[in-house]
């Protein structure tokens, strides 16, 4: 019997990097979906990746490859599934050609695969299994906040709280509009995370942590002004943080994205680990949101047609 699951992508609103060492992150699920369909197979695990244009057959105990095949195999291994599987993964909405947008393709695929392989599981069980699979696939790197957004949908506040990830459902303060712009360059975040995991946090990190806490508290009480200020402060702090670590977190294109949104009065910052991919803006009206999109287009930033996905992973 065939089982299909859909899981949304994500945008970090605040808290990236700081979340890796205990700060809260605010993450919005967005309406780009990974779709995973699981059928019984005849031998091993066969993963057909529509985004990558290839089909891979693996033994369940094989070394984990990169890409969709590795994602699916990590989930199957985490769940202890040893029966033959045929899995089709469609994550094409996260790409432009062969370039990724930075909207959480891997996390969405992990969550969709987890739900498809245990379709009766509750959301928390899906989250815990997907986090375990992600730790296996990424060698323990990453915060898991993107996975929480894919599981629950909407806006979530996620914080590392050993042994589990603490997650609270949130909503943006009334009147704010979340926008996303793509720099046209795909980021490779694994080397950045690896470097950060091995160094002492730089001087800017304490401020970055404090701003993440302020943003989370602002959203919890519906305080738009404080959230907007936290987003603006995060942009400057991320640039300083990257300089102190000698990492290209805020690229020239991301700086251009932020400045263009600021010129029309919106708060803006990079979204996620940086080094490319996309950034966000928070506008206070539909008129200002339209002005942000126009300003981005003028400077070569691609406005993305995404909105917050209120629903998380679904099966069927």
């Amino acid at each position: 019997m065939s089982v299909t699951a859909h899981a949304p992508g994500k945008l970090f609103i605040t808290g990236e990097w700081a979340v890796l060492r205990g700060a809260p992150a605010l993450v919005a699920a967005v309406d780009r979906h990974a779709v995973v369909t699981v059928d019984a197979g005849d031998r091993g695990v066969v993963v057909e990746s529509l985004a990558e244009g290839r089909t891979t057959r693996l033994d369940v105990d094989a070394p984990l490859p990169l890409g969709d095949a590795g994602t699916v195999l990590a989930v199957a291994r985490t769940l202890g599934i040893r029966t033959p599987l045929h899995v089709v993964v469609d994550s094409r909405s996260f790409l432009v050609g062969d370039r990724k947008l930075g909207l959480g393709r891997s996390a969405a695929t992990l969550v969709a695969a987890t739900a498809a392989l245990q379709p009766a599981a509750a959301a928390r069980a899906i989250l815990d299994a997907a986090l375990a699979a992600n730790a296996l696939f990424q060698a323990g790197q990453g915060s898991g906040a993107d996975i929480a957004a894919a599981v629950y949908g909407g806006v979530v506040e996620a914080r590392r709280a050993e042994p589990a990830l603490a997650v609270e459902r949130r909503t943006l303060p009334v009147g704010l509009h979340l926008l996303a712009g793509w720099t046209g360059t795909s980021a490779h975040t694994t080397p950045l995370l690896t470097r950060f995991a091995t160094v002492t946090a730089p001087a800017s990190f304490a401020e970055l942590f404090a701003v993440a806490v302020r943003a989370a508290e602002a959203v919890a009480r519906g305080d738009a002004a404080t959230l907007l200020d936290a987003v603006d402060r995060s942009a400057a702090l991320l640039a300083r943080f990257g300089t102190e670590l000698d990492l290209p977190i805020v690229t020239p294109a991301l700086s251009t994205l932020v400045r263009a949104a600021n010129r029309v009065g919106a708060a803006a910052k990079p979204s996620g680990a940086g080094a490319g991919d996309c950034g966000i803006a928070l506008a206070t009206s539909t008129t200002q949101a339209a002005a942000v999109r126009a300003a981005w287009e003028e400077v070569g930033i691609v406005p993305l047609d995404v909105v917050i996905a209120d629903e998380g992973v679904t099966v069927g």
Side-chain angles (χ1 to χ4, degrees):
M1 180 178 175
S2 180
V3 178
T4 298
H6 302 69
K10 58 77 185 169
L11 284 168
F12 269 83
I13 300 172
T14 56
E16 52 271 272
W17 291 102
V19 70
L20 295 172
R21 299 193 182 181
L26 293 170
V27 190
V30 295
D31 62 341
R32 300 290 177 98
H33 288 81
V35 183
V36 174
T37 300
V38 176
D39 287 285
D42 57 7
R43 181 170 59 86
V45 178
V46 175
V47 180
E48 182 181 348
S49 171
L50 302 185
E52 297 163 6
R54 64 187 177 196
T55 299
T56 307
R57 183 186 295 272
L58 298 161
D59 181 81
V60 72
D61 295 315
L64 291 176
L66 298 175
D68 289 338
T71 301
V72 171
L73 188 58
V75 173
R77 193 172 295 170
T78 297
L79 295 176
I81 295 172
R82 305 195 65 84
T83 55
L85 300 171
H86 185 275
V87 183
V88 178
V89 179
D90 187 356
S91 56
R92 289 174 292 182
S93 66
F94 291 85
L95 305 175
V96 173
D98 61 354
R99 292 178 293 170
K100 72 184 185 75
L101 295 168
L103 294 177
R105 174 190 170 198
S106 291
T109 302
L110 271 165
V111 169
T114 302
L117 286 168
Q118 49 173 12
R124 184 71 222 193
I126 293 172
L127 175 64
D128 290 342
L131 288 170
N134 186 58
L136 182 63
F137 183 57
Q138 293 193 341
Q141 295 180 338
S143 68
D146 48 358
I147 291 173
V151 171
Y152 292 105
V155 176
V156 299
E157 176 190 324
R159 185 195 293 258
R160 282 185 165 184
E162 298 299 338
L165 185 73
V167 182
E168 297 287 345
R169 303 293 299 272
R170 300 292 187 221
T171 57
L172 286 182
V174 174
L176 295 186
H177 303 261
L178 178 64
L179 305 163
W182 184 50
T183 62
T185 302
S186 297
H188 299 286
T189 59
T190 299
L192 306 182
L193 296 174
T194 300
R195 169 73 182 281
F196 182 58
T198 62
V199 300
T200 301
S204 60
F205 186 77
E207 293 178 66
L208 200 60
F209 193 108
V211 167
V213 172
R214 285 186 63 223
E217 292 174 346
V219 167
R221 64 176 181 265
D223 182 349
T226 299
L227 176 60
L228 291 169
D229 179 68
V231 166
D232 275 335
R233 289 191 61 200
S234 294
L237 285 169
L238 286 167
R240 183 176 147 204
F241 177 71
T243 298
E244 289 173 348
L245 284 180
D246 194 25
L247 293 175
I249 290 172
V250 183
T251 62
L254 284 169
S255 292
T256 296
L257 178 152
V258 170
R259 288 195 303 269
N262 290 164
R263 278 198 298 270
V264 297
K269 57 178 283 295
S271 179
D277 289 342
C278 58
I280 64 155
L282 288 177
T284 56
S285 68
T286 56
T287 299
Q288 189 179 72
V292 170
R293 295 187 187 97
W296 280 347
E297 288 177 338
E298 287 177 5
V299 295
I301 300 298
V302 180
L304 296 177
D305 183 19
V306 296
V307 297
I308 294 175
D310 291 330
E311 192 171 32
V313 65
T314 59
V315 178

